[in-house]
Amino acid sequence: MTDATAPTPTPLSTPPTAYLILHGWQNHRPEGHWQRWLAGQLEARGHVVRYPQLPDADEPTPAAWGAAVRRELDGLPEDVPLTVLCHSLSCLLWLRLQAGDAPPRADRVALVAPPSPELIAGQPIHAFVAGDLFDGRRLSPGGSAEAVVVAGDDDEWLPLGPVDTWEARVDAPIVVVPRGGHLTPDSGYGEWPVVLAWALGVPAAEAFG
């Protein structure tokens, strides 16, 4: 477990060049969200960026979202490294894809504010946690080079906290953001230089401190 309060370090000289950014439930990619800001920052640097509006964001299904993600991945160049950044519900989707047949390729993966599977089980989107995927097994988020889980210590979607919810479930280090909430614009995460540094290739331990 680490703390995400360190200053933003200098990016590496050879950053990844392809990115897939995936939003969460009821997210229509608002202008003030850190994911939209990040997509713009990466595109301005000449990188290949996919930040799709996933289908039926208010009433999503794992099948529809999974198919959309695979279409986006199919459209990315295969000869460059790929970084995937998921927020909220798309973190659960990504873990399902990685645990299923033909797990998607990725070199670096950030699961940002993944919600509690127990909490999602009581929501209309409970299909994302159907089956025994989140019961007692340690899941790989993919990422042949690096993977990280980033979550606020006061996230309302993590009533037991990030560590107690995810440390035994995901094979990746957990970065705890003090007073980060659900890491949305409402909790102050519009421009987020630290996540940009990580996206540009800085290792998680250095980027998030």
Side-chain angles (χ1 to χ4, degrees), residues 109-196:
V109 176
L111 303 179
V112 180
S116 162
E118 288 77 15
L119 207 57
I120 294 299
Q123 301 291 327
I125 50 174
H126 54 80
F128 283 82
V129 294
D132 62 355
L133 181 63
F134 297 101
D135 296 337
R137 74 169 77 174
R138 193 166 173 81
L139 301 169
S140 171
S144 58
E146 182 180 43
V148 64
V149 175
V150 183
D153 63 359
D154 57 348
D155 188 340
E156 65 272 23
W157 288 95
L158 288 167
L160 297 181
V163 176
D164 286 350
T165 303
W166 287 109
E167 188 172 48
R169 283 174 161 155
V170 177
D171 187 16
I174 299 175
V175 172
V176 177
V177 182
R179 298 172 300 282
H182 198 49
L183 297 172
T184 65
D186 288 342
S187 51
Y189 290 84
E191 296 186 11
W192 193 3
V194 170
V195 81
L196 174 61

Side-chain angles (χ1 to χ4, degrees), residues 4-182:
T5 58
T8 305
T10 303
L12 299 180
S13 59
T14 308
T17 55
Y19 297 86
L20 178 62
I21 302 173
L22 301 174
H23 64 74
W25 184 27
Q26 299 176 332
N27 186 315
H28 295 271
R29 302 180 306 161
E31 288 290 340
H33 200 287
W34 65 266
Q35 287 190 313
R36 182 171 286 280
W37 173 83
L38 177 64
Q41 291 291 314
L42 295 171
E43 288 172 344
R45 289 163 169 78
H47 299 301
V48 177
V49 181
R50 296 289 184 270
Y51 176 36
Q53 179 66 63
L54 298 173
D56 300 319
D58 295 318
E59 298 180 357
T61 65
W65 274 25
V69 167
R70 290 193 183 278
R71 284 194 298 271
E72 294 294 335
L73 290 168
D74 288 344
L76 289 170
E78 296 183 0
D79 57 346
V80 298
L82 171 63
T83 293
V84 177
L85 298 103
C86 305
H87 180 252
S88 195
L89 187 62
S90 67
C91 298
L92 303 186
L93 172 74
W94 185 259
L95 289 171
R96 293 191 74 86
L97 292 175
Q98 286 294 329
D101 297 331
R105 79 164 180 106
D107 295 281
R108 303 175 81 234
V109 176
L111 303 179
V112 180
S116 162
E118 288 77 15
L119 207 57
I120 294 299
Q123 301 291 327
I125 50 174
H126 54 80
F128 283 82
V129 294
D132 62 355
L133 181 63
F134 297 101
D135 296 337
R137 74 169 77 174
R138 193 166 173 81
L139 301 169
S140 171
S144 58
E146 182 180 43
V148 64
V149 175
V150 183
D153 63 359
D154 57 348
D155 188 340
E156 65 272 23
W157 288 95
L158 288 167
L160 297 181
V163 176
D164 286 350
T165 303
W166 287 109
E167 188 172 48
R169 283 174 161 155
V170 177
D171 187 16
I174 299 175
V175 172
V176 177
V177 182
R179 298 172 300 282
H182 198 49

